[in-house]
Amino acid sequence: MTTTQEPTTVLPGAPAAPRRHPRALWTLTALTAVAPVTWGTTYVVTTEWLPPDRPLLAATVRALPAGLLLVAAGRVLPRGAWWWKAAVLGTLNIGAFFALLFVAAYRLPGGVAAVLGAVQPLVVAALALPLLGQPLRVRTFVLGATGVAGVGLVVLTDSARLDPLGVLAGLVATACMGTGVVLTKRWGRPVPVLAFTGWQLAAGGLLLLPLALAVEGLPATVTPGQVGGFLYLAVVNTALAYVLWLRGIGLLPADRVSFLGLLSPVVAGAAGWVLLGQSLGPVQLAGVVLALGSVVVAQRGR
């Protein structure tokens, strides 16, 4: 199998991604979109197939095995400044993000947690000015607000409860992920994507492991369904998804990548409709159109 050479570094000035044929660009975008699509199933898997009230354990099992596997497959360890850079990215993109995401997933309905995550394009747009030197664009904020509104229509209901700790966890998780996206774009990728993904997953998992053991401990029993849930999160939802996501960050503009994250709450709403028997009426369908429209417009050239 032949592969094309990918750029692996981005200088501090954060130059634009190399010009690509439109068909190749959309193919790359579609592959990157696989990540948020699989992340949209996190909420239903967490509530239906994982041990209750163990967000740190769920985050650790999701990150650490996948990270160690990818580090072994990549066969490259960080060198020089990349030890601390990998630790920072692993904390933002994996360790803190996973832990806070599962806290939000356990304490909030999936819809509320999804709306909080939909704010990520706005976070990335705000950070792009100081970290990437990219000016703030009205277009980005309008599309971001439209996407948040669309996600809200899809997943919020009158019965949605707002747990303050869960809301705070969801907002901080979104801020961590958005910051990780921008820093990944600024620092670039010094090694192939398998090793780069493994560094971050392993760093985040090693940060979470002692916290999970100290705060939650191990469950007394684990059912076959829970094992299957953990395997799905570790292999598909994390290892595969983050390889595609980090590759996309390196090759696509940061704002376009961040808008792909809107697919996650849309998929979360669809999963609730298909798997949990939740309703999906005209208002929800209008929200899907708004959210997906924001994603598509954000991918088109300015």
Side-chain angles (χ1 to χ4, degrees), residues 4 11 26 58 66 78-79 113 126 207 228 247 263 274 280 297 299-300:
T4 58
L11 298 177
W26 282 104
R79 301 177 64 179
L207 172 68
R247 180 175 181 267
L263 295 173
V274 174
L280 191 66
V297 173
Q299 306 310 310
R300 299 182 67 86

Side-chain angles (χ1 to χ4, degrees), residues 143-240:
L143 288 175
T146 303
V148 173
V151 169
L153 291 177
V154 173
V155 298
L156 289 183
T157 64
D158 295 336
S159 61
R161 54 184 176 84
L162 298 178
D163 176 80
L165 182 58
V167 171
L168 179 62
L171 288 175
V172 177
T174 299
C176 287
M177 185 65 162
T179 306
V181 168
V182 176
L183 286 179
T184 301
K185 192 69 180 175
R186 177 180 174 86
W187 290 339
R189 174 164 53 84
V191 293
V193 67
L194 284 182
F196 190 58
T197 307
W199 292 358
Q200 296 187 44
L201 288 171
L206 291 173
L207 172 68
L208 289 166
L209 180 60
L211 293 176
L213 294 177
V215 175
E216 297 174 354
L218 299 176
T221 59
V222 179
T223 67
Q226 291 169 350
V227 172
F230 281 131
L231 286 175
Y232 170 78
L233 289 180
V235 177
V236 178
N237 191 274
T238 302
L240 173 62

Side-chain angles (χ1 to χ4, degrees), residues 74-206:
R75 296 183 294 180
V76 180
L77 293 177
R79 301 177 64 179
W82 271 103
W83 281 105
W84 68 265
K85 288 182 178 181
V88 170
L89 293 177
T91 299
L92 291 172
N93 288 331
I94 309 299
F97 175 70
F98 278 11
L100 294 167
L101 176 68
F102 279 109
V103 169
Y106 275 112
R107 300 184 70 92
L108 295 172
V112 177
V115 171
L116 298 176
V119 181
Q120 182 179 305
L122 301 178
V123 174
V124 171
L127 292 174
L129 176 61
L131 295 179
L132 300 181
Q134 296 178 359
L136 298 175
R137 295 183 175 89
V138 174
R139 174 181 184 273
T140 300
F141 279 95
V142 170
L143 288 175
T146 303
V148 173
V151 169
L153 291 177
V154 173
V155 298
L156 289 183
T157 64
D158 295 336
S159 61
R161 54 184 176 84
L162 298 178
D163 176 80
L165 182 58
V167 171
L168 179 62
L171 288 175
V172 177
T174 299
C176 287
M177 185 65 162
T179 306
V181 168
V182 176
L183 286 179
T184 301
K185 192 69 180 175
R186 177 180 174 86
W187 290 339
R189 174 164 53 84
V191 293
V193 67
L194 284 182
F196 190 58
T197 307
W199 292 358
Q200 296 187 44
L201 288 171
L206 291 173

